[in-house]
Amino acid sequence: NRIKIQDIVDLASITDDYDTIEVNGVLTNLSGNTLKLLNLLQNDPNKIWENIRFGTAPRDEVEEQPSSPAFFAILIAAMKKTKRLEIECVLSDTAGYSCLATGLLAQDGIQELELNRADCLDLDGAKVLAEAMVCTTCLKRFDLFGFDFRDEYVCDVLVEALKRNRSLEESRLGLWNDGTSLSKFLCTLPNHPNLRSLSLRSRHMSEQVMENLREWLGRKNCR
């Protein structure tokens, strides 16, 4: 069951039946429902949420999440209370990715990370995220979705991070309009020592992509 930030009225009414939190819209002020959400995350030390998702406003427009004290407070609290984090909104600058990297590097850090707007990731943010991905020992699943990378070096940085990561076991890639980037990822992922599950979504499946995929499928103990 999901609880949305705008639906939080009385914290006492939120039972253990809820396992997912959806944070929709821009967080600018630590008041109202945003403050209630922070209290929800902090009040029960034993509650671990199955999934926490930072999405967009109800009108379904992709919004930029500003680096506000309210956003950082919620993100930091969320990373301590879940093993799976979904980021659909656009983080406005490197500070947002630095905060995200902190959650990856924690001793009991994020195990599953999904980025839904990879095409909006800039090079500085990618470098911060990549450094954490290399060093984390907790990240088991990394899902990446987007359209065309605005900067080809962003793709290269992420690919290199995945090449050096040693904890990853699953990955889903959805790079809708960019067959070149998909090929770069598929040149790296088949050689990852622990990867057991790979899901692909793309409009571009070149012969090189298919060859890399066949190579990966030929490995033992994979699906």
Side-chain angles (χ1 to χ4, degrees):
N1 292 333
R2 295 172 178 259
I3 181 71
K4 296 182 180 181
I5 183 174
Q6 62 266 30
D7 296 332
I8 299 176
V9 178
D10 180 12
L11 295 183
S13 66
I14 300 175
T15 67
D16 288 338
D17 293 336
Y18 291 101
D19 56 19
T20 297
I21 297 177
E22 287 192 7
V23 185
N24 296 321
V26 175
L27 304 178
T28 53
N29 299 307
L30 199 56
S31 60
N33 279 10
T34 306
L35 183 57
K36 290 180 181 179
L37 174 60
L38 183 61
N39 290 332
L40 176 64
L41 290 168
Q42 294 179 337
N43 280 353
D44 187 350
N46 298 317
K47 174 69 173 180
I48 299 296
W49 295 84
E50 184 177 312
N51 185 28
I52 298 181
R53 175 180 174 270
F54 287 83
T56 57
R59 60 182 178 274
D60 293 330
E61 293 180 1
V62 176
E63 292 185 284
E64 185 176 272
Q65 190 68 251
S67 294
S68 66
F71 171 66
F72 288 139
I74 296 297
L75 181 58
I76 290 171
M79 289 189 295
K80 295 177 180 179
K81 302 297 291 183
T82 187
K83 297 303 178 186
R84 176 172 176 78
L85 194 66
E86 295 180 28
I87 305 292
E88 183 174 331
C89 56
V90 179
L91 304 186
S92 62
D93 55 32
T94 307
Y97 291 101
S98 295
C99 188
L100 190 58
T102 301
L104 289 172
L105 292 173
Q107 185 175 1
D108 189 22
I110 296 296
Q111 294 181 4
E112 299 183 15
L113 176 63
E114 178 176 317
L115 298 180
N116 271 292
R117 289 308 306 267
D119 45 298
C120 295
L121 179 59
D122 64 18
L123 185 56
D124 289 337
K127 288 179 177 179
V128 170
L129 189 60
E131 184 176 350
M133 289 173 62
V134 169
C135 297
T136 180
T137 58
C138 297
L139 187 65
K140 304 299 182 186
R141 176 170 172 171
F142 179 60
D143 298 339
L144 186 69
F145 299 99
F147 294 91
D148 296 321
F149 280 101
R150 297 178 181 177
D151 186 339
E152 64 178 294
Y153 294 112
V154 170
C155 177
D156 294 339
V157 166
L158 294 178
V159 167
E160 181 62 24
L162 288 174
K163 185 184 300 184
R164 297 170 59 192
N165 170 278
R166 288 297 176 265
S167 63
L168 198 67
E169 296 177 357
E170 299 180 58
S171 184
R172 292 190 301 165
L173 299 176
L175 302 173
W176 307 118
N177 298 327
D178 196 347
T180 301
S181 295
L182 188 62
S183 294
K184 289 181 178 180
F185 279 104
L186 275 239
C187 284
T188 295
L189 287 172
N191 299 314
H192 195 284
N194 299 319
L195 193 70
R196 293 294 178 265
S197 179
L198 177 63
S199 174
L200 302 177
R201 303 177 187 176
S202 178
R203 295 184 181 132
H204 296 270
M205 284 290 183
S206 66
E207 182 57 34
Q208 182 61 54
V209 169
M210 295 303 296
E211 180 61 31
N212 291 333
L213 183 57
R214 283 191 289 268
E215 177 185 349
W216 184 80
L217 289 173
R219 292 177 55 196
K220 294 181 180 180
N221 302 320
C222 69
R223 69 180 187 274

